[in-house]
Amino acid sequence: MSVWFVTGASRGLGLEIVKAALTRGDSVVATARDPKAIEQALPGHAGNLLALPLDVTAQSQADAAVQAAVARFGGIDVLVNNAGRGLVGAVEETSDAEARAVFDINVFGLLTVVRAVVPVMRTARRGRILNISSTGGVVAWAGWGVYSATKFALEGITEALRLELAPLGIQVTSVQPGPLRTDFLASSSLGQVERVIDDYATTGGASRAWAGENHGLQEGDPVKAAAALLTLADLAEMPARLPLGTSTLADIRTKLAAVGADLETWQELSRSTDVVPA
Ligand code: NDP
């Protein structure tokens, strides 16, 4: 039986992970900006559910939630850094405040929670961390540049953290979902840039329109994604990254092929910058 600590558990993927873990008898510290949303969604789980307030941008809340988790369950086996939000708009259309706000949650929020939870795992010399990235953590599309930048940042943090924590018995994985049928594209979640520039109508603007038309039509099932995360967390050796969804596999393969082709095509120019030994 594991103890899970999940951020952004009020709805969407986070809530499904909490439900799946509780259903199989694990204990869960489910955190959200408003923990009442969790209690309302999951009545009757008093024994193995601890719902706590956690806005991931607040270090003091993260520290308090971890203290309460340890007091109640004695430790944390699996951390899921799930809290996050999208932002759609061309790069130039995005204001400094809009870009920083999404970085504050998706990147600095994750770091905040890592700083709070990892000491507990280091002391135990065991633990698992699942960082919820995105296809957008590997591939950037027009209109999603700043959101992708947050997930690219998450990928870098995850890759390094995996190396740093492996010798201490802690495994770290990046989970890369494709479009999931949650509130992600709904106006309650997805940020929209205020400034619209006509020149981006067919690029960033097209993505804005796509987002508006595709809420509720996404190919990915968050219940199945949550089940896959439980399978992942149970593996003896977690992979460095786990893409979720058929389109994600195709998109990442296309990206890797393009990166590989650039490496091959430009290798002479790439090598030309080396210092030639005297
Ligand atoms: P939802 O919009 O349904 O859920 C987002 C969750 O994040 C909510 O619980 C929300 O809480 C929480 N959250 C937002 N800001 C904060 C904050 N400051 N502190 C704590 N919690 C916060 O989307 P998903 O469930 O789909 O998103 C979950 C993760 O999956 C995100 O990291 C997202 O980037 C990623 N993802 C989603 C994809 C998709 O298509 N759905 C695709 C790829 C990745 P509140 O209810 O308080 O707003």
Side-chain angles (χ1 to χ4, degrees), residues 74-78 117-129 164-171 236:
I76 296 169
D77 300 308
V78 187
V117 172
V118 167
V120 175
M121 292 183 170
R122 279 195 293 103
T123 302
R125 285 294 193 266
R126 59 191 286 268
R128 304 213 161 196
I129 301 177
E164 293 164 0
L165 294 183
L168 307 177
I170 302 161
Q171 296 188 37

Side-chain angles (χ1 to χ4, degrees), residues 33 100 104 150 153 172:
R33 292 190 287 197
R100 284 176 192 275
D104 272 346
T150 68
V172 188

Side-chain angles (χ1 to χ4, degrees), residues 69-89:
V70 173
R72 172 76 167 267
F73 297 120
I76 296 169
D77 300 308
V78 187
L79 164 63
V80 187
N81 280 308
N82 164 77
R85 61 175 298 187
L87 177 68
V88 64

Side-chain angles (χ1 to χ4, degrees), residues 16-211:
E16 294 305 335
I17 295 165
V18 172
K19 281 185 198 165
L22 288 173
T23 300
R24 73 173 192 183
D26 286 353
S27 299
V28 182
V29 183
T31 70
R33 292 190 287 197
D34 176 10
K36 282 197 203 83
I38 299 167
E39 286 157 3
Q40 279 162 9
L42 299 166
H45 278 288
N48 54 348
L49 171 66
L50 180 61
L52 295 174
L54 174 52
D55 180 326
V56 295
T57 63
Q59 184 79 54
S60 58
Q61 280 193 5
D63 294 339
V66 170
Q67 263 191 10
V70 173
R72 172 76 167 267
F73 297 120
I76 296 169
D77 300 308
V78 187
L79 164 63
V80 187
N81 280 308
N82 164 77
R85 61 175 298 187
L87 177 68
V88 64
V91 171
E92 186 195 344
E93 289 175 333
T94 309
S95 72
D96 185 67
E98 288 163 344
R100 284 176 192 275
V102 69
F103 266 87
D104 272 346
I105 299 168
N106 297 5
V107 180
F108 295 108
L110 178 144
L111 290 171
T112 295
V113 175
V114 162
R115 278 191 298 269
V117 172
V118 167
V120 175
M121 292 183 170
R122 279 195 293 103
T123 302
R125 285 294 193 266
R126 59 191 286 268
R128 304 213 161 196
I129 301 177
L130 313 185
N131 287 337
I132 307 300
S133 177
S134 168
T135 317
V138 183
V139 183
W141 288 285
W144 297 96
V146 172
Y147 173 67
S148 266
T150 68
K151 296 297 187 178
F152 275 48
L154 179 151
E155 290 287 337
I157 290 163
T158 305
E159 213 170 289
L161 199 58
R162 181 177 167 89
L163 297 172
E164 293 164 0
L165 294 183
L168 307 177
I170 302 161
Q171 296 188 37
V172 188
T173 291
S174 156
V175 178
Q176 300 160 333
L180 289 175
R181 212 167 283 188
T182 64
D183 284 347
F184 182 80
L185 292 179
S187 54
S188 57
S189 289
L190 183 64
Q192 302 264 353
V193 298
E194 258 185 56
R195 184 173 176 225
V196 172
I197 300 174
D198 288 346
D199 279 346
Y200 296 112
T202 60
T203 53
S207 288
R208 207 167 11 244
W210 178 90

